[in-house]
Amino acid sequence: MFDSFTAETLARMQFAFTVSFHIVFPAFSIGLASYLAVLNGLWLKTRNETYLTLFTYWKKIFAVAFGMGVVSGIVMSYQFGTNWSVFSDKTGPILGPLMAYEVLSAFFLEAGFLGIMLFGRERVGDKLHMFATAMVAFGTLMSATWILSVNSWMQTPAGYGINELGQFVPENWWEIVFNPSFPYRLTHMVLAAYLTTALVVGGVGGLHLLRNRDDAPARRMFSMAMWMLVVVAPLQILAGDMHGINTLEHQPAKVMAMEGHYDSHPDGAPLILFGIPNAEERRIDYSIEIPNLSSLILKHHWDAPLDGLDTIPDDEEPPVAIVFFSFRVMVGLGFAMLGLGAWSLWRRVKGRLYDDRLLQRAAILMGPMGFVAVLAGWITTEVGRQPFTVYGLLRTSDSLAPVAAPAVAASLLAFIVVYFFIFGAGTFYLLQMMNKPAATPHLGLQDGPIRTAGTTPVAQTNPESIPGE
């Protein structure tokens, strides 16, 4: 099955497969943790039972998604020590501490307060429960901050030196953490997480409104999700534009592949809306273009010159077709989110937000599109970085461990089988929970911890079952 692939290609496929599974869960849990904090705060302020019902409903979904995110993330770290041990050795002095900070400051924060958020309302009081909920939300944002710092350093390395062993070593931690692309990448990812969650919440709200337009929790979650789209979708497009300009400055080859510019344009570059990259002829076939618009977007000047891939050595070009198509999927979905938000705003102004069944069906259709957009964005970012793991400094081919192709192929097959079984079952379970109305008393999870080991306390047992009672 994988006989024609090299060990490097298989190792890249394996990492792409596992990271694609992993990224969808943090993208969901980051936004959902903040949503839970808002719901809990609104419940404490208004004592409106609808907010408490929604908090109880979504916290159980959050618990399952958070667990799958943790498990899928742990697997990735093992690959750094197996398939990519040379990369780990070269970058360990810089990336190792950053990953450790993520565990110490973010994961511990999430794990430490997660139990209180899930089960502690009746045990610790409202104030501490609210504090725990806020800390879980803050922890997910901190986790994203450190991980995006790591990834951004690999894209735009700064503050480093190279020792006699060829390792990257830290010289300025401020420059390492706050490297040139970090602020743009973090903003873009966090906004993407909020949009992803808003689309899921809006889709679930739309589903239950179609079944019962008087369902109070469904009306509230649908309204909140649509407001989120109205506010965040335009901000995301602005952040994406600024991120693109930053990428043009620091990773021009990636932008050339995104735009499909094989040739340089000294008098202004067109924006290619669609086409089919022809790698052999080095052109875009069947292209639909708007003259000079690419120069206007990227350099804010109609006639600004833009370099093409003809200025890049052939062995430093990223795979154009993958980057070209994934970028258009991400941008297209971004504008679809903007359109859904604008549509909901128009219906809200007309007083028909909960009556427009076409809008509710559109919300259901867009429900999973945030995940698709996040995956397309990551493909654009990571494939566009090739052929480097550390941009311009360390090639992917030089990052690979001395592994044999059959061994990597065997582990890749094992990952595919196990992932589809475990995460397929987990995703099916999540969909089942979302399919039930928010007022459902139990979604399959108990409202308190279940003892799995040790002796069951006498107070929690049936006295009739105790010998001698």
Side-chain angles (χ1 to χ4, degrees):
M1 182 176 178
F2 298 115
D3 293 343
S4 60
F5 295 103
T6 65
E8 179 189 337
T9 303
L10 289 166
R12 288 180 60 187
M13 290 170 61
Q14 186 178 119
F15 196 81
F17 177 78
T18 53
V19 78
S20 296
F21 261 93
H22 173 66
I23 189 63
V24 297
F25 295 112
F28 186 37
S29 57
I30 289 170
L32 197 51
S34 295
Y35 182 52
L36 286 171
V38 170
L39 288 173
N40 205 36
L42 289 171
W43 152 246
L44 293 177
K45 182 178 181 180
T46 65
R47 295 297 173 179
N48 184 326
E49 289 291 334
T50 301
Y51 292 119
L52 181 60
T53 301
L54 286 176
F55 178 85
T56 306
Y57 180 73
W58 285 105
K59 81 172 183 182
K60 295 173 181 177
I61 294 170
F62 172 82
V64 178
F66 182 82
M68 289 199 288
V70 171
V71 172
S72 58
I74 290 172
V75 173
M76 290 168 53
S77 63
Y78 285 112
Q79 292 178 57
F80 288 123
T82 54
N83 296 346
W84 302 102
S85 61
V86 176
F87 167 80
S88 298
D89 176 63
K90 298 288 187 185
T91 62
I94 288 179
L95 301 191
L98 294 180
M99 298 293 284
Y101 299 151
E102 191 263 340
V103 173
L104 291 172
S105 65
F107 187 69
F108 280 11
L109 199 63
E110 295 168 306
F113 288 100
L114 181 63
I116 299 174
M117 186 190 84
L118 293 178
F119 308 114
R121 184 184 298 279
E122 305 301 328
R123 295 173 173 81
V124 299
D126 285 341
K127 290 183 180 179
L128 182 53
H129 183 260
M130 182 65 225
F131 180 74
T133 306
M135 286 299 100
V136 172
F138 181 64
T140 60
L141 291 173
M142 284 295 294
S143 180
T145 298
W146 288 116
I147 294 300
L148 265 296
S149 178
V150 168
N151 184 270
S152 298
W153 185 85
M154 292 161 63
Q155 307 274 352
T156 53
Y160 67 90
I162 298 179
N163 67 14
E164 65 279 4
L165 300 176
Q167 295 173 310
F168 296 94
V169 292
E171 289 187 345
N172 186 322
W173 279 109
W174 284 105
E175 291 183 6
I176 290 171
V177 174
F178 298 99
N179 58 80
S181 67
F182 168 69
Y184 304 94
R185 207 176 299 278
L186 176 65
T187 303
H188 200 43
M189 184 64 212
V190 170
L191 292 178
Y194 285 153
L195 283 172
T196 298
T197 302
L199 288 171
V200 174
V201 172
V204 173
L207 173 68
H208 294 297
L209 278 176
L210 283 175
R211 294 172 175 171
N212 177 12
R213 66 182 297 279
D214 296 323
D215 185 333
R219 291 166 73 98
R220 190 59 52 90
M221 73 171 94
F222 188 73
S223 175
M224 294 177 77
M226 293 302 107
W227 272 126
M228 195 70 179
L229 288 182
V230 170
V231 175
V232 177
L235 293 176
Q236 179 68 310
I237 292 173
L238 177 63
D241 178 65
M242 296 174 68
H243 186 18
I245 294 172
N246 177 266
T247 304
L248 178 65
E249 179 181 356
H250 297 282
Q251 296 177 295
K254 182 188 293 186
V255 175
M256 294 170 193
M258 289 160 55
E259 298 291 323
H261 293 321
Y262 281 106
D263 299 319
S264 298
H265 297 276
D267 300 319
L271 178 67
I272 302 174
L273 297 176
F274 184 75
I276 301 176
N278 186 331
E280 292 185 359
E281 300 293 334
R282 299 183 64 77
R283 66 173 187 238
I284 303 295
D285 292 337
Y286 313 110
S287 64
I288 300 173
E289 305 177 353
I290 300 176
N292 296 66
L293 189 54
S294 185
S295 290
L296 183 64
I297 293 173
L298 290 168
K299 292 196 171 180
H300 297 171
H301 194 284
W302 191 255
D303 296 324
L306 274 180
D307 291 336
L309 290 166
D310 54 353
T311 62
I312 303 293
D314 290 347
D315 64 347
E316 293 184 7
E317 286 187 8
V320 175
I322 298 174
V323 179
F324 181 84
F325 285 123
S326 61
F327 176 66
R328 273 146 190 79
V329 170
M330 177 187 69
V331 173
L333 288 173
F335 279 98
M337 297 172 201
L338 180 70
L340 183 63
W343 185 0
S344 72
L345 184 61
W346 173 57
R347 300 309 283 167
R348 191 189 298 272
V349 170
K350 295 291 183 182
R352 305 283 295 171
L353 180 66
Y354 306 113
D355 301 324
D356 190 336
R357 301 177 77 78
L358 190 58
L359 173 64
Q360 292 155 15
R361 290 191 176 94
I364 296 171
L365 180 66
M366 287 293 294
M369 292 304 156
F371 299 114
V372 178
V374 166
L375 283 173
W378 270 99
I379 290 170
T380 302
T381 296
E382 300 308 313
V383 178
R385 175 163 46 114
Q386 295 302 317
F388 300 102
T389 49
V390 180
Y391 193 73
L393 298 170
L394 181 62
R395 285 180 173 271
T396 305
S397 57
D398 297 329
S399 303
L400 186 68
V403 291
V408 184
S411 58
L412 174 58
L413 279 173
F415 275 122
I416 292 173
V417 173
V418 172
Y419 267 53
F420 275 107
F421 178 73
I422 294 178
F423 294 107
T427 303
F428 178 72
Y429 184 54
L430 279 174
L431 293 175
Q432 276 194 321
M433 297 170 75
M434 294 178 190
N435 190 45
K436 296 178 180 177
T440 304
H442 297 291
L443 296 174
L445 291 178
Q446 298 294 325
D447 290 330
I450 301 171
R451 179 173 292 275
T452 57
T455 303
T456 301
V458 173
Q460 298 183 16
T461 61
N462 182 354
E464 295 180 357
S465 66
I466 302 175
E469 290 289 331

